[in-house]
């Protein structure tokens, strides 16, 4: 009797075993150890290439962080932003949020090329974007976090999704919050992730209306400090100079810290989408004040919100593919 019970128990365990073994492969979740056996050097390789790029041009950190954000808000974190136009597929690179501003693609290409030599067809472009975003934050003085991994790459792009889903500099607070909520993010994530504007640049065309014609009646935005506005007008005329660059955080433009929020309290946020965090919603205004007062609280929440954003609709298991070239789906490569 005891032997037959043992045999039945063994059978039941064997029957259950395949489900257990499949979970990580097909269960659709991400975890930091995903490449520990298949490509253990992946993160170090990515980090070293990014460090060289940052040494040449510190601005690249903000550019790579932005790429991850613009990727995740369109069809999820699936590297669709990296695809060039091909056949009937139109690239997201030509969308309003990305045209003449999305950059850093060459660094992603370099990381991908190195990883293809180290462990071919293993590390996805989507995961490279997530790793590069974390490393860009760290190298600029910001927080670190374990990046959940295991994303796969999309088989297409969405120009309309890029045009419609990514918050624009001149959107109202409510529109921006709605776009975040559609991605499963909340007001805390909105304010914390906006803090990424502590590094990087913006073009004159992205905030010109605040200087000259905020509401269409030829009057500037008076929630912008007028002395600061006067300085900005020197290099951002009412016409022309569209591509002229300005620091998003004029106090510490290449250091990842909470000075961005302090600038908002002084009414010196560069973009309309920055300043409305203080002026248009009480809950977000309280968060701005909290992060301005305590850098550690901001950095901790930023890391949490980045992990949350990186989990937007990833392709896992057998969905999507592992591109060999981040700019092309494998069928076209």
């Amino acid at each position: 009797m005891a032997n037959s019970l043992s045999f039945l128990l063994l059978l039941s365990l064997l029957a259950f075993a395949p489900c257990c073994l499949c979970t990580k492969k097909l269960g659709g979740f991400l975890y930091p150890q995903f490449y520990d056996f298949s490509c253990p050097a992946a993160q170090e390789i990515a980090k070293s290439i990014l460090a060289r790029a940052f040494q040449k041009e510190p601005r690249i950190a903000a550019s790579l962080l932005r790429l991850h954000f613009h990727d995740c808000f369109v069809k999820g974190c699936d590297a669709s932003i990296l695809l060039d136009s091909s056949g009937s597929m139109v690239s997201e690179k030509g969308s309003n949020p990305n045209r003449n501003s999305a950059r850093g693609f060459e660094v992603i290409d370099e990381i991908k090329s190195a990883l293809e030599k180290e462990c071919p067809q293993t590390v996805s472009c989507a995961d490279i974007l997530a790793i590069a975003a974390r490393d860009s934050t760290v190298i600029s003085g910001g927080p670190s976090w374990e990046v959940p991994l295991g994303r796969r790459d999309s088989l297409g792009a969405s120009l309309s999704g890029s045009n419609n889903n990514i918050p624009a500099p001149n959107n109202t607070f409510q529109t921006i919050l709605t776009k975040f909520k559609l991605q499963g993010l909340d007001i805390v994530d909105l304010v914390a992730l906006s803090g990424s504007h502590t590094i990087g640049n913006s073009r004159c065309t992205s905030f010109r209306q605040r200087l000259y014609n905020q509401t269409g009646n030829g009057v500037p935005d008076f929630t912008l400090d007028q002395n600061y506005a006067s300085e900005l007008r020197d290099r951002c005329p009412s016409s022309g100079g569209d591509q002229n660059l300005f620091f998003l955080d004029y106090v510490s433009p290449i250091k990842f810290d909470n000075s961005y929020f302090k600038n908002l309290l002084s009414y010196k946020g560069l973009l309309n989408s920055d300043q409305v965090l203080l002026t248009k919603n009480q809950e977000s205004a309280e968060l701005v004040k909290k992060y301005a007062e305590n850098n550690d609280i901001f950095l901790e929440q930023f890391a949490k919100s980045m992990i949350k954003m990186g989990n937007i609709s990833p392709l896992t298991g057998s969905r999507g593919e592992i591109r060999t070239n981040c700019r092309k789906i494998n069928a076209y490569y």
Side-chain angles (χ1 to χ4, degrees), residues 60-258:
I60 199 66
S63 300
L64 293 171
L65 191 52
R66 186 170 182 258
L67 274 186
H68 183 45
F69 170 52
H70 282 209
D71 179 43
C72 291
F73 267 59
V74 183
K75 297 164 72 264
C77 307
D78 61 1
S80 60
I81 192 173
L82 302 179
L83 289 169
D84 291 336
S85 294
S86 182
S88 61
M89 182 182 65
V90 182
S91 173
E92 294 169 19
K93 295 175 182 179
S95 70
N96 291 329
N98 295 329
R99 188 173 57 250
N100 298 324
S101 65
R103 58 194 302 278
F105 299 107
E106 294 78 12
V107 178
I108 300 299
D109 290 340
E110 188 178 349
I111 294 171
K112 180 59 174 173
S113 178
L115 290 177
E116 283 299 305
K117 289 176 185 171
E118 177 74 15
C119 29
Q121 293 181 289
T122 301
V123 182
S124 69
C125 301
D127 278 345
I128 291 171
L129 281 173
I131 293 166
R134 187 271 313 277
D135 291 347
S136 293
T137 303
V138 173
I139 204 168
S140 303
S144 185
W145 59 91
E146 280 198 311
V147 179
L149 299 166
R151 301 167 191 80
R152 288 167 66 84
D153 300 323
S154 74
L155 298 173
S158 176
L159 181 67
S160 62
S162 187
N163 277 322
N164 297 325
N165 298 356
I166 298 171
N170 58 352
N171 279 163
T172 65
F173 176 85
Q174 195 53 52
T175 297
I176 296 167
L177 181 59
T178 298
K179 289 181 177 182
F180 269 73
K181 286 184 173 179
L182 287 172
Q183 304 296 340
L185 302 174
D186 59 26
I187 194 167
V188 175
D189 302 313
L190 164 57
V191 180
L193 291 173
S194 294
S196 63
H197 285 177
T198 181
I199 57 174
N201 300 273
S202 184
R203 298 173 297 155
C204 165
T205 187
S206 296
F207 62 88
R208 174 185 283 121
Q209 86 284 350
R210 300 191 73 201
L211 303 179
Y212 303 98
N213 189 24
Q214 174 68 348
T215 57
N217 59 359
V219 177
D221 182 356
F222 289 109
T223 67
L224 179 64
D225 177 89
Q226 291 307 294
N227 290 326
Y228 183 44
S230 180
E231 291 176 25
L232 294 173
R233 288 188 192 99
D234 287 343
R235 291 184 48 246
C236 186
S238 56
S239 63
D242 285 7
Q243 306 303 317
N244 291 351
L245 293 174
F246 295 77
F247 293 130
L248 285 160
D249 170 5
Y250 75 96
V251 174
S252 55
I254 60 171
K255 181 173 172 51
F256 201 102
D257 58 21
N258 66 339

Side-chain angles (χ1 to χ4, degrees), residues 1-13:
M1 183 69 177
N3 286 341
S4 62
L5 281 172
S6 297
F7 181 71
L8 286 171
L9 180 61
L10 178 61
L11 279 178
S12 65
L13 286 172

